[in-house]
Amino acid sequence: MRLLLTAAFTAAILLISPLNILASDRAGTNDSGFRFRGYIGGMMLHTGYIFSKPFDILSPSGQSLGTMQIKGGATGIGGHVKFAFGTPSDMLRIGAEGHSSNVRYSPSHSYAHTGWGGIILDYIHRTEGRVHPFLGCLIGGGGVKNHIIIQGSTSDYVTEQQSAMHKYAFMAIAPFLGIEVSLTPKLSLVIKTDWLLNAANSQRDFTSGPRIYAGILFNRLQR
């Protein structure tokens, strides 16, 4: 998963140099038609309430040890880079995005980690004011690590008899909407919300729910 995210961001960075030259060449024009408008990118933190379906915990002999459910507050970090095409007021943007998210749940030492990334496509309407709404979707892939500790502690080196680890990959689809608030011509505050979906390899301990993101974006956009 880390290799996938690294490759996506590396490819995006390699694209920036020639596109930056193109944007600079067009900077002096007053073209209001559809064309390449530049790029925007940055980092975001997120939080939210996520939950899974109930799932069964089994002993090595197959005996049921009970039913659990992941639910709680998620926290994480991520970022994206997007390239804009369109008019000064209406732009389609395509790029790459990736996030890492964690949630702890009962029993208190259990936790689940989800990492995902992929291609994003969105539409933004740049108003005359400072607040610009947008909506779009991410399509890509990710992985989940669900570490379950029924009894025991994570603060020592003692092996635990009642613990389990569930790992799997999934196809990620995440529709989102939000706003970008222009702080300066080259700096924006972004606030958005999304809902991560597992489009393949359905698992009962996969977590979905609303996440809220906030971050700072830097841009080189031409009006």
Side-chain angles (χ1 to χ4, degrees):
M1 180 59 196
R2 291 180 181 178
L3 180 61
L4 174 64
L5 296 180
T6 301
F9 280 112
T10 300
I13 291 172
L14 291 175
L15 284 171
I16 285 177
S17 295
L19 291 175
N20 184 38
I21 294 172
L22 177 59
S24 298
D25 291 341
R26 300 300 297 271
T29 67
N30 189 25
D31 184 2
S32 61
F34 188 97
R35 65 173 176 84
F36 173 66
R37 294 286 169 178
Y39 57 85
I40 185 169
M43 302 296 294
M44 293 173 285
L45 301 176
H46 70 258
T47 187
Y49 184 81
I50 59 176
F51 50 90
S52 72
K53 297 177 181 178
F55 55 92
D56 294 328
I57 303 298
L58 304 177
S59 69
S61 63
Q63 180 182 359
S64 175
L65 299 177
T67 300
M68 299 180 65
Q69 182 181 14
I70 301 173
K71 54 183 178 180
T75 57
I77 190 171
H80 68 229
V81 60
K82 295 185 284 192
F83 305 98
F85 301 84
T87 68
S89 60
D90 296 281
M91 298 182 188
L92 293 175
R93 303 182 298 185
I94 186 169
E97 182 169 282
H99 296 281
S100 175
S101 189
N102 296 283
V103 59
R104 293 187 175 273
Y105 63 97
S106 181
S108 60
H109 297 296
S110 299
Y111 66 90
H113 169 78
T114 305
W116 71 98
I119 301 300
I120 52 173
L121 178 66
D122 72 12
Y123 160 77
I124 185 169
H125 176 63
R126 296 185 64 84
T127 65
E128 292 297 328
R130 291 180 175 270
V131 179
H132 316 300
F134 65 89
L135 59 86
C137 189
L138 175 148
I139 300 177
V144 173
K145 290 190 295 185
N146 181 15
H147 190 188
I148 305 157
I149 299 179
I150 300 174
Q151 292 181 356
S153 172
T154 58
S155 61
D156 53 39
Y157 296 99
V158 179
T159 59
E160 311 296 348
Q161 293 183 349
Q162 293 190 345
S163 65
M165 174 74 79
H166 187 207
K167 297 175 62 176
Y168 57 93
F170 67 96
M171 178 181 176
I173 295 180
F176 58 82
L177 57 86
I179 58 171
E180 291 178 10
V181 182
S182 296
L183 304 177
T184 72
K186 301 299 181 184
L187 190 67
S188 299
L189 169 68
V190 60
I191 300 173
K192 77 166 191 174
T193 183
D194 74 357
W195 193 289
L196 180 63
L197 302 172
N198 182 353
N201 191 21
S202 176
Q203 300 286 334
R204 295 194 65 82
D205 63 345
F206 182 81
T207 53
S208 291
R211 288 179 172 88
I212 299 176
Y213 301 75
I216 296 295
L217 302 180
F218 302 88
N219 77 77
R220 187 174 178 83
L221 295 174
Q222 302 300 328
R223 300 290 293 182

